[in-house]
Amino acid sequence: MAGKKAAKLPRAKYETELLRLQTELVKLQEWVRAEGTRLVIVFEGRDAAGKGGTIKRVAEHLNPRVARIAALPKPTDRQRTQWYFQRYVEHLPAAGEIVLFDRSWYNRAGVERVMGFCSQEEYQLFLRQCPIFERMLVEDGIVLRKYWFSVSDAVQQDRFRRRLEDPLRRWKLSPMDLESITHWEDYSRAKDEMLVHTDISEAPWSVVESDDKRRARLNMIAHLLGSLPYHEVSPPVLELPPRPPSTGYERPPRDLQTYVPDHAATL
């Protein structure tokens, strides 16, 4: 429950329920394909709030030709001269596709606003246009879900510290991430103003408490599944054909090809 810190979810319970939910996500994927649905899921939140890990679990067992992740880099000089939403439109799904936005057009309401990467006029224009843009998406038949991952300042700082110490996760940390520590209240005000303008009935925000990553992942996936009228689609009947008899093919000598050394044998 929001406002009260829950105990960390035990790993065994987490992994059992995650597998069940991921099985349902595969059913959702097949429903999306069969119905020709266009599904967009927006993941937003502070740095180290757990968005990336959740996206990884959502997409883990899905067909990458159906469900793809859109994690856009900073805009090019050419893109900066375009309509702000233009480069995001290019990544919207066609029929039977799912797009997971690892950050989205809401960059303008967050980091660009706080760090001064956009002008006040550009920011105000975004707040006016964003609800219109999202209503257009929904009116055209796109199913839009928006999740804000909420993390406390203490947990965020602890995650930053662990990333600094872990060579496998060091790449997740940038100077901009660390600078966000000194702008905690600025980001809070920006988030509050963003929600006031963009939490619309056609595309409401859903807030995910993410101090416990395991709970956050399960809660987000369960909410997504519960918000969609999907059903199990019967798969096509497939049978392995009998292997035909040999016609005399012989494999070339092994020394004619270059093989990867057996590193595993040295362990």
Side-chain angles (χ1 to χ4, degrees):
M1 179 181 293
K4 182 180 179 181
K5 186 176 181 180
K8 188 172 183 179
L9 190 67
R11 178 173 293 276
K13 285 187 177 181
Y14 162 71
E15 291 180 347
T16 298
E17 180 61 5
L18 178 62
L19 182 59
R20 187 189 73 82
L21 291 173
Q22 289 177 324
T23 302
E24 292 299 312
L25 284 171
V26 173
K27 295 178 184 177
L28 171 65
Q29 168 190 263
E30 296 309 302
W31 173 79
V32 165
R33 286 210 297 184
E35 298 293 325
T37 301
R38 292 174 290 163
L39 176 60
V40 171
I41 310 171
V42 168
F43 295 79
E44 288 288 344
R46 296 180 186 270
D47 298 315
K51 302 179 298 298
T54 304
I55 292 170
K56 180 180 179 181
R57 272 67 180 186
V58 170
E60 188 172 7
H61 298 290
L62 301 184
N63 183 343
R65 293 185 177 87
V66 176
R68 53 188 168 84
I69 300 169
L72 277 61
K74 65 180 183 180
T76 64
D77 290 341
R78 181 175 182 274
Q79 289 171 331
R80 290 190 183 96
T81 69
Q82 297 174 340
W83 177 47
Y84 175 71
F85 294 93
Q86 188 168 335
R87 73 188 190 115
Y88 295 101
V89 170
E90 297 174 0
H91 295 270
L92 293 174
E97 294 179 350
I98 303 169
V99 176
L100 313 174
F101 276 98
D102 185 355
R103 295 196 181 277
S104 64
W105 45 90
Y106 282 100
N107 276 341
R108 177 137 294 178
V111 64
E112 290 191 18
R113 162 65 167 165
V114 173
M115 303 307 297
F117 296 153
C118 67
S119 67
Q120 180 66 16
E121 292 74 18
E122 289 172 328
Y123 172 68
Q124 292 298 331
L125 182 61
F126 170 83
L127 293 182
R128 291 197 302 272
Q129 289 187 343
C130 184
I132 299 171
F133 172 67
E134 292 182 351
R135 287 188 181 103
M136 291 173 64
L137 298 183
V138 174
E139 287 174 1
D140 198 61
I142 287 178
V143 179
L144 177 59
R145 297 291 182 269
K146 303 187 304 191
Y147 291 95
W148 176 269
F149 285 72
S150 179
V151 64
S152 66
D153 53 353
V155 170
Q156 183 196 52
Q157 189 139 353
D158 181 60
R159 290 176 183 173
F160 282 165
R161 185 179 298 108
R162 281 185 280 137
R163 288 180 181 183
L164 275 173
E165 298 169 352
D166 186 347
L168 296 180
R169 294 190 295 171
R170 179 64 181 80
W171 63 269
K172 291 185 175 183
L173 204 55
S174 70
M176 190 66 64
D177 295 333
L178 297 179
E179 196 167 348
S180 69
I181 295 175
T182 61
H183 291 277
W184 178 270
E185 291 191 0
D186 295 329
Y187 274 103
S188 295
R189 294 187 183 96
K191 180 261 295 182
D192 292 343
E193 187 169 6
M194 177 196 78
L195 292 178
V196 167
H197 287 84
T198 63
D199 189 18
I200 58 177
S201 59
E202 297 89 343
W205 278 103
S206 298
V207 178
V208 181
E209 293 285 354
S210 61
D211 275 3
D212 181 349
K213 288 183 178 181
R214 295 173 188 169
R215 289 181 183 273
R217 293 164 186 168
L218 299 184
N219 292 341
M220 179 268 151
I221 298 173
H223 181 275
L224 172 67
L225 292 168
S227 74
L228 297 167
Y230 78 99
H231 55 79
E232 188 167 3
V233 176
S234 298
V237 177
L238 301 175
E239 293 184 6
L240 286 174
R243 188 175 296 278
S246 173
T247 58
Y249 168 78
E250 293 186 7
R251 185 174 181 174
R254 293 176 62 90
D255 58 8
L256 295 180
Q257 298 170 343
T258 302
Y259 284 82
V260 172
D262 189 1
H263 169 74
T266 67
L267 302 179

